[in-house]
Each structure stands twice: as C-alpha cells, then as structure tokens.
Amino acid sequence: MRQDGKQVLVVAREGRLFAIANRCPHEGYPLSEGTIGPECVLTCNWHNWKFELASGAALVGRDPVRTYQVAERGGEIFIDFRDPPADQRRARALRGIEAAIVDNDRARMAREAARLERAGYDAREVLVHAFRLCNIRLEGGMTQAHAAAADWLLLADRAETPIEKLAAQLEPLGHIAWDAQGAGEFPYPEGATEWDAAGFVAAVEAEDEAAAIVRIRGALVQDLPYASLRAAIGEAALAHYAAFGHCAIYTLKAGQLIEGLGEQVAEPVLLALTRMRSPEPCRHRTAAPSPGRTDPEA
Ligand code: FES
C-alpha cells in the first residue's frame, strides 16, 4: 500500500492486523518479500534482520521498523499514515545515535542522522550529542576527532549535494565514536568557581586539572561566551611548545568548532581541551582504556 511516498506493508496473522513500513530500515529492501515466522516475527530476506510486527522492534539487527496504526472496519482497512510529532522523531533518532556510538556502527549513525534531518532538524545536532556523550570516555581529553570536526564542518558547508554534506558531517561522528569506544569512564572533576583568567592559566601551567576545570565550568555557568575566554585559553596553550604545537592547534580548532556548532558544544569541547592541557596522572578510571584510541599527541 502506498501513500504520500510511504510504502506500508499490511499483514494479517494469528487473528491480528499489523502495518509496518515496507522498506527495511537496514538497506531499504522490501519487507513484503521477507518471511513471517512464529510469534509474528518478520525476517528480512536480504540480511536476516528480524522484526516484531506488533512493536517494530529489531530482534536481530539494529534499527526498529516503523509501525502504523491499522484497523479493519466493515471490510475496509484503515491506516493512520500520519508521522509522529517531530520531537518524538528527534528523540528516537538521538537514541539511535547513542546506540550506534556504543556499537561504533557508522552505517546506523548515517541512517539516524538522515532520519533527524527528515524530521526537520539539523544533522549537525548529532555531532553535538556525540561530543557530550563521548566526553567522559576521553581519558586524554580533546582528540583529533574534535580538531578535524572543525574542518569537516567547513567542508559540509561547501558541499554541493545533500549526500556530500551528510558524509562530511558523519566523518567526525564516526571518529569520536571510535576514539571513545571501550575506553572506560574518566569523569571530570565536579564543581564550578567564578571565572578567573589568571587563575585558569596558572592551573593549566601547574597541570592541575581540577582547578582548571572548575574555572572553565564557572565561565560556562556565568554564560560567558567563548570569545571572552579565548585570550586566557590561548595564553595557556602558547606558554610552551606543548605537544609540538598540538595544544595551540587544538585551541584554534576548539574555537572553530564552537563557532561552527554553537555555544551548546562549548562545555564538552572546553572540558576536553582543558583536560588535554592539564593532565593529571590518576583519574577516576572505571575501566581500562582501549588500545585503539587516538593519541592526541600523535
Ligand atoms: S535490507 Fe533488510 S536486513 Fe538488510
């Protein structure tokens, strides 16, 4: 059954009526050519994903398939083709992104970002979400994923097709997920204190992460824009040839990233940048880091 570009598969099974999207959420092949097994589970015959017809949940595979309300009255089938509210679709896409990041599943990241865009939102939001989500797993703070993200966003702005644009936005998403994968958790020190530029520079110089982080948080609590912190952060970065200039480069990129994604990404980016500049030998590690993580000094 088709309406408004939607293909819906209606299935009558075990005395019940079900309606689901006919395009498999994996690669879009028609579920109407799948196989229905016991307990109303449909198997897509292409790659064996299995869906519960009633809920749409993927029992094998990743993304759930969309379900529609359906009823039979007087020998006619009625389907509610309306889309869920945009905020529900957004919430679902962001939940999907979280699952994709945990699995480091780039294909699903792409699908969920596309769903977010189709719901009327900017796909760059998934990057903001990913930076927030992954921050606690970055033992060394800012990585090349943050730094490169600033450039990928510039490329996305210059893209000539929607596909090119999405691809440029997804590259840093996959990179940050890879950096964070299996890395355990390294919580940032708690608390916030009034922003004090000289105190921040001194804390970084002393490699005192806790003192530097509470000052950055203080600035964020005070709603100070990144532009007003730039001089102190730059001074701290330029105090030495730290990491052969990486600190200075990452500081520049952090600013570009905040400009590109907005102040909403300032907290995870500035905390990660500060951690990179003021490493403490022993953090609150809850698991061993993955050997595959990016070395920010590389
Ligand atoms: S297209 Fe359905 S499982 Fe791959």
Side-chain angles (χ1 to χ4, degrees):
M1 198 170 288
R2 293 168 193 254
Q3 180 159 314
D4 299 333
K6 293 172 182 152
Q7 287 182 33
V8 175
L9 170 64
V10 179
V11 177
R13 230 350 114 109
E14 299 180 10
R16 298 176 64 189
L17 208 50
F18 305 96
I20 61 171
N22 189 40
R23 286 191 172 279
C24 179
H26 179 217
E27 289 188 359
Y29 289 106
L31 292 173
S32 56
E33 295 180 27
T35 305
I36 299 175
E39 299 183 24
C40 299
V41 170
L42 182 147
T43 300
C44 176
N45 282 357
W46 271 268
H47 310 98
N48 201 43
W49 282 25
K50 295 182 189 299
F51 304 98
E52 205 173 57
L53 286 172
S55 67
L59 304 179
V60 173
R62 310 281 191 191
D63 330 10
V65 68
R66 174 159 177 204
T67 58
Y68 293 84
Q69 287 200 351
V70 61
E72 187 266 325
R73 287 192 288 273
E76 289 188 275
I77 303 286
F78 292 86
I79 297 173
D80 185 349
F81 281 94
R82 288 174 299 180
D83 289 324
D87 59 338
Q88 279 182 24
R89 295 167 69 193
R90 170 180 175 271
R92 189 199 127 161
L94 293 181
R95 278 198 305 276
I97 285 288
E98 288 173 21
I101 286 172
V102 169
D103 294 339
N104 196 15
D105 179 345
R106 291 195 181 207
R108 185 171 186 185
M109 290 174 206
R111 294 192 296 269
E112 300 293 3
R115 286 176 188 133
L116 186 70
E117 264 199 337
R118 211 176 307 137
Y121 295 89
D122 188 332
R124 286 182 301 179
E125 188 179 353
V126 298
L127 202 48
V128 176
H129 199 60
F131 284 137
R132 286 194 185 127
L133 202 68
C134 293
N135 225 29
I136 198 174
R137 296 197 217 120
L138 302 175
E139 185 183 15
M142 193 166 174
T143 79
Q144 291 172 354
H146 298 82
D151 295 322
W152 281 111
L153 289 174
L154 286 177
L155 281 176
D157 286 343
R158 292 179 200 157
E160 292 181 358
T161 68
I163 300 270
E164 278 181 11
K165 184 174 180 183
L166 193 58
Q169 291 165 339
L170 286 169
E171 189 63 30
L173 183 64
H175 195 163
I176 192 75
W178 187 81
D179 279 356
Q181 195 179 33
E185 294 194 349
F186 311 94
Y188 283 87
E190 298 288 338
T193 190
E194 193 175 349
W195 171 248
D196 160 20
F200 172 78
V201 174
V204 171
E205 187 63 20
E207 300 190 6
D208 183 344
E209 177 180 299
I213 289 288
V214 295
R215 283 179 169 80
I216 281 289
R217 277 231 188 77
L220 295 166
V221 169
Q222 289 170 254
D223 267 340
L224 297 179
Y226 175 72
S228 66
L229 313 177
R230 193 192 325 253
I233 293 174
E235 183 182 340
L238 294 170
H240 307 281
Y241 296 137
F244 296 96
H246 274 70
C247 292
I249 295 167
Y250 280 22
T251 299
L252 175 72
K253 293 297 172 188
Q256 291 175 344
L257 199 49
I258 293 167
E259 273 169 28
L261 291 176
E263 293 285 338
Q264 55 186 337
V265 83
E267 178 170 359
V269 169
L270 293 182
L271 292 187
L273 178 66
T274 302
R275 168 166 284 179
M276 183 219 167
R277 283 296 290 115
S278 51
E280 283 188 344
C282 180
R283 294 204 173 87
H284 318 290
R285 181 183 298 181
T286 57
S290 154
R293 296 178 58 247
T294 295
D295 175 2
E297 309 284 310

